[in-house]
Amino acid sequence: MPKDGGIGASSKRREDVRFLTGAGNYTDDINIRGQAYVHFLRSDIAHGTIKSIGTAAAAGMPGVVRVFTGADFEGVGGMPCGWQVTDRHGQPMQEPAHPILAQGKVRHVGEPVAAVVADTAEQARDAAEAIVLDIDELPAVVDMKAALESGATKVHDDLNDNLCYDWGFVEENKDAVNKAFDDAAHVTSLELVNNRLVANPMEPRVAVGDYAKGTDDSTLYTTSQNPHVIRLLMGAFVLGIPEHKLRVVAPDVGGGFGTKIFHYQEEAFCTFAAKACNRPVKWTSSRTEAFISDAHGRDHVTKIELALDADNNFTAVRTETHANMGAYLSTFAPSIPTWLHGTLMAGNYKTPLIYVNVKAVFTNTVPVDAYRGAGRPEATFQLERVVDKAARELGVDPIALRRQNFITEFPYATPVAVEYDTGDYHGTMDKLEEMGDFAGFATRRAESEKNGKLRGLGVNCYIEACGIAPSNLVGQLGARAGLYESATVRVNATGGLVVMTGSHSHGQGHETSFAQVVAEMIGIDENMVEIVHGDTANTPMGMGTYGSRSIAVGGSAMVRATEKIINKAKKIASHLLEASEADIELKDGAFSVAGTDKSVAWGDVTLAAYVPHNYPLEDIEPGLEETAFYDPANFTYPSGAYACEVEVDPDTGKVTIERFAAADDFGNIINPMIVTGQVHGGIAQGIGQALLENCAYDENGQLLSASYMDYAMPRADDLPMFAVDHSSQTPCTHNPLGVKGCGEAGAIGSPPAVVNAVVDALQSAGKDVTHIDMPLSPDRVWGAMNG
């Protein structure tokens, strides 16, 4: 039976009350007395030299407070990159300057060139249209491989070329990998594209800057997944504001998917302009602006090869990837195709030798950074597509080939420098076969054929490294910040708790699941626990939410802080009960003396903490508040197996998903309902990438898919009912909750399952199709069927 509350219960999300009734407090809801509005004039060409910016007419228009250009930011720090990658030759990556407003050149469509601050948003927009911008257009570099050719136009004149870095991993494996391919009984190779995506969270980005002249304090209200990191980057590296003079607030945030992790130019501008104009300054992105200014995701071109011996055992994997950085380095961009991608190329398999090469390339496009899964979907897609292709070439069952090569003993050290602590890949595959009713597939296929449709079944396995950590390791790999998490637990005199966390919630249900953890530890009602996040002024320094780290890292920090609270409360209880502290037990919200009926309620102990009549103050300080920082010892490694069944219309190429099943291992589960919802959302986004979404540029660097008219988002009728199970649990061995991340799994596991299913449908009909690049739009599928 499901529990009424605490860990393991499907408690309803408490935050949904305000969201569903329109009572949420989002950044755009924040309006400060006397605020002005900013409109950014953005480049409409991808590459060019700025000859002049005529602002006189705009400056004289009604309501205009001030017009800013790049000249106003000379001497101001540019946007920082948070991760440095060292290439395979031991050289640091090329790292260009990234100005707040363009200086000298524009390098992608959408780059802000000037900004108008005015009394109203309409006046700012009208004045921006009056700015005379003279740009000498230059050839745009869009194709990554062409960008690396000799004589290619450089995106940044001060760099040697358009190569950010040439990364090899593990470099010392390279010769052994090459020999394994020379000796292989069979080699399967595949060239594929991981299509560029726009995250499109429901809430666009917003920034409100405020400045208090009397105290010289700056405040930024922003749509961010990690306000403390924004404060650190913007204060220390961009605007030079001391951290104690800068407050960053991220209230309710309507979805992030990675694109709201990063520090953006608009945030820095609004903070700077608020001080320069001595009044609050607000910017709200339009949806069109989001398409040309939010960091994009994915955009890899890869050749992957799999070597097998005569018994079909995997012996080596070799990949070569071109990864698009766009025109500038976004906050975490260099780490995505390297440490978050290359380290996952072992997948679920005991392949002894792996070599990964990544060439990161600058192009005249919007910068590319983390998007739900961040490197792990790219690795999984490559690996699971080439494994499926190998099975078809060898004439063996794709599931049997996977099972034969599964890792079965844990912990398992992969050849790409990570160690999986737990897992049961056979168990999740067993569960998938049961959920997906594979035994009945032949009957369903025959029924589809009667209706003139082609039916296919695709499977795949995935493993994810998430809860990114530990700090000392990622520091050695180039991270310019620690990746711990923090929590402060403050107990009120009457027993209620306020838990302040450095994690941030933007759809994950933290206010519910975090409260479940603390309530379970003490044995009190969940409603007695309040979760506070998103404001650097009243939460401890933390690294925010991304990479499926919230419960594994942030939740563990809460456990540590709550343990400190309980230990101190036991000391107080021991005095109240006149017993040894070692004999005090806490259960169901009461302290008792072991082996007796003597007890005292939680509320009585917390009141005594603030009204200290019954214990010696020289031994125990009054109050009940503790802070803990948790730095994980390792990543967590959720894994799973997914299956997709599709119907393909041979006349049109349209793909319809008929069934979808997901069996995941997330370790211990805090709230099953929330986990299921996270998986549903991830699968929907993965299906969007597989079938619909594509961020496309023309040869001049113009974005061809800059609105929902041209960028196809999945709708309800594009998706079936999902069968989701997470009963196969192998708890994580190195965090106190035994949990693993769950937020990105659906987006990692679903794209290859969909593509594998479509290829299966076409091959079953005798079509000579081994691969189709995403998105599998009707014209692409029809073209593949018809040669």
Side-chain angles (χ1 to χ4, degrees):
M1 294 290 291
K3 295 174 62 176
D4 292 333
I7 294 175
S10 290
S11 300
K12 290 184 178 180
R13 294 187 0 150
R14 60 171 73 177
E15 48 267 78
D16 286 351
V17 174
R18 68 177 185 274
F19 295 154
L20 295 174
T21 58
N25 182 38
Y26 296 88
T27 308
D28 193 52
D29 294 322
I30 295 171
N31 293 291
I32 304 171
R33 182 185 177 97
Q35 76 184 13
Y37 297 81
V38 60
H39 185 91
F40 292 97
L41 177 65
R42 299 180 183 274
S43 175
D44 60 0
I45 67 170
H47 193 200
T49 301
I50 300 172
K51 298 178 69 176
S52 64
I53 306 175
T55 62
M61 292 182 68
V64 172
V65 177
R66 183 170 169 180
V67 181
F68 293 83
T69 68
D72 293 294
F73 292 89
E74 291 181 2
V76 175
M79 308 308 295
C81 177
W83 202 298
Q84 182 183 67
V85 166
T86 301
D87 73 10
R88 62 193 184 92
H89 305 293
Q91 297 301 310
M93 65 189 186
Q94 295 199 93
E95 189 172 357
H98 187 182
I100 295 174
L101 296 178
Q103 296 177 343
K105 289 181 72 175
V106 293
R107 294 180 173 87
H108 68 85
V109 170
E111 181 169 8
V113 179
V116 177
V117 176
D119 292 335
T120 69
E122 294 76 16
Q123 289 171 330
R125 183 190 61 231
D126 291 345
E129 292 176 355
I131 294 174
V132 180
L133 185 60
D134 185 6
I135 297 179
D136 186 8
E137 188 168 2
L138 299 170
V141 181
V142 178
D143 180 84
M144 286 186 282
K145 292 183 179 180
L148 297 182
E149 293 176 355
S150 177
T153 300
K154 289 198 293 185
V155 177
H156 296 275
D157 296 333
D158 55 334
L159 301 187
N160 298 326
D161 49 34
N162 293 320
L163 181 65
C164 178
Y165 55 75
D166 180 359
W167 184 79
F169 189 71
V170 175
E171 194 68 23
E172 52 265 34
N173 286 353
K174 189 174 183 180
D175 291 342
V177 169
N178 291 340
K179 185 177 187 305
F181 275 91
D182 292 339
D183 297 340
H186 182 85
V187 173
T188 295
S189 63
L190 181 62
E191 295 190 26
L192 51 83
V193 174
N194 209 290
N195 41 319
R196 181 184 280 235
L197 302 174
V198 181
N200 281 311
M202 188 156 48
E203 178 200 26
R205 289 190 296 116
V206 184
V208 184
D210 192 17
Y211 176 69
K213 188 174 182 179
T215 58
D216 194 33
D217 290 329
S218 293
T219 301
L220 171 69
Y221 301 90
T222 183
T223 46
S224 176
Q225 297 176 217
N226 49 1
H228 280 282
V229 174
I230 302 305
R231 183 179 70 160
L232 174 64
L233 294 176
M234 191 171 70
F237 300 105
V238 183
L239 301 181
I241 303 173
E243 281 189 84
H244 67 284
K245 289 294 183 180
L246 176 59
R247 176 189 178 198
V248 176
V249 182
D252 289 330
V253 172
F257 311 128
T259 198
K260 292 176 182 172
I261 299 172
F262 323 119
H263 182 31
Y264 285 98
Q265 294 147 293
E266 295 88 355
E267 294 170 320
F269 177 85
C270 288
T271 307
F272 179 90
K275 182 174 182 178
C277 299
N278 196 28
R279 62 188 291 190
V281 174
K282 182 174 186 176
W283 170 75
T284 300
S285 173
S286 67
R287 188 59 64 178
T288 297
E289 279 186 293
F291 272 94
I292 58 176
S293 66
D294 289 2
H296 293 170
R298 314 290 192 245
D299 205 351
H300 289 189
V301 177
T302 297
K303 179 180 180 181
I304 180 170
E305 299 169 285
L306 173 66
L308 303 94
D309 66 17
D311 296 320
N312 296 340
N313 297 309
F314 301 168
T315 60
V317 168
R318 182 169 61 193
T319 75
E320 182 178 351
T321 290
H322 288 75
N324 206 333
M325 295 288 100
Y328 299 99
L329 291 178
S330 180
T331 306
F332 290 124
S335 68
I336 306 306
T338 52
W339 300 112
L340 297 184
H341 156 250
T343 53
L344 267 293
M345 286 309 303
N348 305 67
Y349 310 111
K350 50 180 185 278
T351 311
L353 291 165
I354 298 173
Y355 179 72
V356 179
N357 176 247
V358 177
K359 294 178 176 64
V361 186
F362 292 113
T363 62
N364 293 117
T365 61
V366 172
V368 178
D369 209 317
Y371 171 70
R372 197 171 192 167
R376 289 92 84 195
E378 295 90 323
T380 300
F381 186 71
Q382 297 168 32
L383 191 58
E384 290 300 307
R385 282 296 297 122
V386 80
V387 169
D388 223 61
K389 186 170 184 278
R392 297 182 186 281
E393 290 174 352
L394 294 166
V396 300
D397 178 69
I399 295 176
L401 182 62
R402 288 175 167 87
R403 285 186 181 274
Q404 175 180 336
N405 288 280
F406 276 162
I407 297 162
T408 56
E409 296 182 3
F410 297 88
Y412 178 82
T414 76
V416 279
V418 293
E419 183 174 282
Y420 306 159
D421 59 335
T422 60
D424 181 6
Y425 308 149
H426 283 288
T428 51
M429 183 60 78
D430 290 343
K431 190 66 181 180
L432 182 72
E433 293 197 53
E434 173 193 329
M435 296 167 60
D437 184 24
F438 289 8
F441 174 70
T443 301
R444 295 191 293 274
R445 172 174 272 174
E447 187 65 26
S448 295
E449 290 173 352
K450 288 180 184 178
N451 297 324
K453 302 293 178 64
L454 310 179
R455 196 176 191 101
L457 171 63
V459 300
N460 84 282
C461 303
Y462 79 89
I463 188 163
E464 179 189 2
C466 56
I468 183 168
S471 294
N472 61 347
L473 172 61
V474 296
Q476 294 172 39
L477 302 181
R480 290 165 169 166
L483 290 173
Y484 55 84
E485 200 43 78
S486 62
T488 295
V489 177
R490 177 182 298 159
V491 184
N492 299 318
T494 52
L497 291 87
V498 178
V499 180
M500 292 153 280
T501 173
S503 298
H504 188 277
S505 181
H506 40 276
Q508 295 88 347
H510 290 174
E511 293 173 35
T512 302
S513 55
F514 283 166
Q516 288 178 256
V517 170
V518 175
E520 172 91 359
M521 292 181 68
I522 299 172
I524 57 177
D525 190 279
E526 295 167 19
N527 292 321
M528 294 178 66
V529 182
E530 179 185 0
I531 305 298
V532 175
H533 63 92
D535 187 342
T536 62
N538 58 23
T539 58
M541 176 72 176
M543 293 296 106
T545 295
Y546 44 85
S548 298
R549 70 192 303 270
S550 296
I551 195 65
V553 187
S556 294
M558 287 184 190
V559 170
R560 295 290 186 243
T562 304
E563 287 173 342
K564 291 181 180 180
I565 290 289
I566 292 171
N567 289 337
K568 183 174 180 181
K570 282 183 175 181
K571 291 181 180 180
I572 298 172
S574 72
H575 286 279
L576 299 180
L577 294 169
E578 298 180 332
S580 168
E581 182 184 335
D583 293 331
I584 301 297
E585 298 176 342
L586 172 61
K587 184 179 180 181
D588 298 330
F591 295 91
S592 61
V593 181
T596 75
D597 59 357
K598 295 174 63 178
S599 67
V600 61
W602 166 257
D604 292 333
V605 173
T606 61
L607 181 62
Y610 292 93
V611 185
H613 298 318
N614 299 303
Y615 59 87
L617 294 178
E618 62 270 19
D619 295 334
I620 306 173
E621 291 182 355
L624 207 49
E625 179 174 330
E626 299 287 349
T627 296
F629 289 79
Y630 178 79
D631 195 75
N634 193 359
F635 296 88
T636 69
Y637 299 98
S639 59
Y642 285 15
C644 177
E645 282 188 37
V646 300
E647 276 192 343
V648 180
D649 186 334
D651 295 328
T652 65
K654 179 174 173 55
V655 176
T656 303
I657 298 180
E658 296 295 320
R659 297 164 65 98
F660 199 101
D664 296 290
D665 174 5
F666 296 133
N668 293 334
I669 304 295
I670 304 300
N671 186 311
M673 181 175 64
I674 286 178
V675 169
T676 297
Q678 287 285 299
V679 175
H680 279 198
I683 293 172
Q685 287 186 279
I687 289 172
Q689 176 176 15
L691 296 183
L692 299 163
E693 298 182 48
N694 192 36
C695 183
Y697 283 90
D698 70 9
E699 66 276 8
N700 297 313
Q702 292 294 329
L703 184 59
L704 302 176
S705 50
S707 75
Y708 291 146
M709 295 293 290
D710 303 297
Y711 187 95
M713 297 284 285
R715 302 183 182 186
D717 59 0
D718 293 312
L719 308 171
M721 293 298 292
F722 303 135
V724 173
D725 180 87
H726 35 75
S727 62
S728 299
Q729 298 177 7
T730 60
C732 176
T733 60
H734 54 77
N735 67 56
L737 290 168
V739 295
K740 305 177 182 181
C742 72
E744 297 166 294
I748 295 169
S750 51
V754 174
V755 178
N756 289 344
V758 173
V759 171
D760 179 64
L762 301 190
Q763 290 197 353
S764 70
K767 306 295 184 181
D768 184 20
V769 177
T770 59
H771 180 70
I772 308 172
D773 276 327
M774 300 183 292
L776 276 64
S777 56
D779 64 314
R780 287 187 177 183
V781 176
W782 188 92
M785 284 192 293
N786 291 278

